[in-house]
């Protein structure tokens, strides 16, 4: 998400009205209902996690311990177990 200066897009009167409630702070304006993108749609992160999780499952199936996987992938053992439950 990037920030845009209010002065560049909002009318001066609207800015004054907003300043009555918040002055000099960042505010988040959510998207209109129905225009939100599902998590991970705009980046490759969701696909990268799937590849990582598939590798974890494969390594575990090959005999690697939860503790070793935890160290290798820099995740807690609880996170590794959660990934393995999805087998």
């Amino acid at each position: 998400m990037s920030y845009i200066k209010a002065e560049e897009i909002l009318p001066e009167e609207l800015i004054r009205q907003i300043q009555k409630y918040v002055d000099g702070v960042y505010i988040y304006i959510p998207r209109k209902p129905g225009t939100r993108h599902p998590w991970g749609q705009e980046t490759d992160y969701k696909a990268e996690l799937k590849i990582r999780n598939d590798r974890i499952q494969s390594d575990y199936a090959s005999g690697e311990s939860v503790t070793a996987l935890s160290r290798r992938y820099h995740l807690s053992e609880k996170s590794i177990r959660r990934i393995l439950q999805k087998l």
Side-chain angles (χ1 to χ4, degrees):
M1 172 181 15
S2 61
Y3 292 97
I4 301 171
K5 290 185 178 184
E7 295 88 6
E8 294 176 5
I9 59 169
L10 299 176
E12 192 174 320
E13 178 57 32
L14 181 55
I15 293 172
R16 280 197 290 270
Q17 288 294 317
I18 293 170
Q19 287 170 331
K20 290 180 182 179
Y21 299 94
V22 292
D23 188 20
V25 299
Y26 292 109
I27 61 171
Y28 170 74
I29 300 174
R31 290 183 159 277
K32 294 182 277 186
T35 62
R36 295 185 67 183
H37 300 292
W39 179 84
Q41 179 180 335
E42 294 195 11
T43 66
D44 294 332
Y45 191 61
K46 195 172 189 177
E48 290 171 15
L49 284 180
K50 178 164 178 15
I51 290 167
R52 183 205 64 189
N53 292 349
D54 290 347
R55 285 184 184 147
I56 289 171
Q57 292 173 349
S58 175
D59 293 343
Y60 183 75
S62 296
E64 197 156 348
S65 72
V66 170
T67 302
L69 292 169
S70 173
R71 277 189 242 120
R72 182 190 315 174
Y73 290 97
H74 306 285
L75 296 170
S76 69
E77 290 186 16
K78 184 176 181 178
S79 293
I80 296 292
R81 286 190 191 91
R82 192 176 309 122
I83 291 165
L84 295 174
Q85 284 179 348
K86 296 177 182 177
L87 279 173

